[in-house]
Amino acid sequence: MKKPGREMEHVDGDSMGVPELATRMDDFGDEWSYGIKQLTKFSGKASQALLKVKESFEKLDHELAEANKGKGSAKGAGK
């Protein structure tokens, strides 16, 4: 995503030929680059948050498994 952002940032609107189109192309290149930078920034943070959620669930799963180990054998002993 970074490479297309850099490329769009450097697109020269003058190469479009029509002055109004050139201006709009310059604006689009700037907005595109900014948007890609924001996506990169926020996707990194989202990835970190999801990793923490995953680790928390794995820890909870392990704790529940440990807590239930003794309960399974206690049920069998009462029969």
Side-chain angles (χ1 to χ4, degrees), residues 16-37:
M16 303 306 291
V18 178
E20 186 177 335
L21 183 56
T23 301
R24 289 187 182 186
M25 199 59 201
D26 285 338
D27 292 343
F28 176 76
D30 293 340
E31 290 172 11
W32 175 272
S33 178
Y34 174 77
I36 295 300
K37 287 176 187 173

Side-chain angles (χ1 to χ4, degrees), residues 31-46:
E31 290 172 11
W32 175 272
S33 178
Y34 174 77
I36 295 300
K37 287 176 187 173
Q38 292 299 97
L39 282 173
T40 301
K41 175 182 167 183
F42 293 124
S43 66
K45 289 181 180 179

Side-chain angles (χ1 to χ4, degrees), residues 1-72:
M1 292 302 282
K2 290 180 183 181
K3 183 179 178 190
R6 283 192 304 269
E7 290 175 359
M8 287 304 295
E9 187 174 25
H10 298 293
V11 168
D12 183 8
D14 290 333
S15 65
M16 303 306 291
V18 178
E20 186 177 335
L21 183 56
T23 301
R24 289 187 182 186
M25 199 59 201
D26 285 338
D27 292 343
F28 176 76
D30 293 340
E31 290 172 11
W32 175 272
S33 178
Y34 174 77
I36 295 300
K37 287 176 187 173
Q38 292 299 97
L39 282 173
T40 301
K41 175 182 167 183
F42 293 124
S43 66
K45 289 181 180 179
S47 177
Q48 291 173 355
L50 288 172
L51 181 58
K52 287 182 181 181
V53 169
K54 176 186 172 273
E55 291 170 349
S56 296
F57 274 110
E58 287 174 344
K59 180 181 175 190
L60 179 61
D61 188 49
H62 176 74
E63 290 172 357
L64 288 172
E66 289 297 315
N68 284 325
K69 276 186 180 178
K71 291 182 181 180

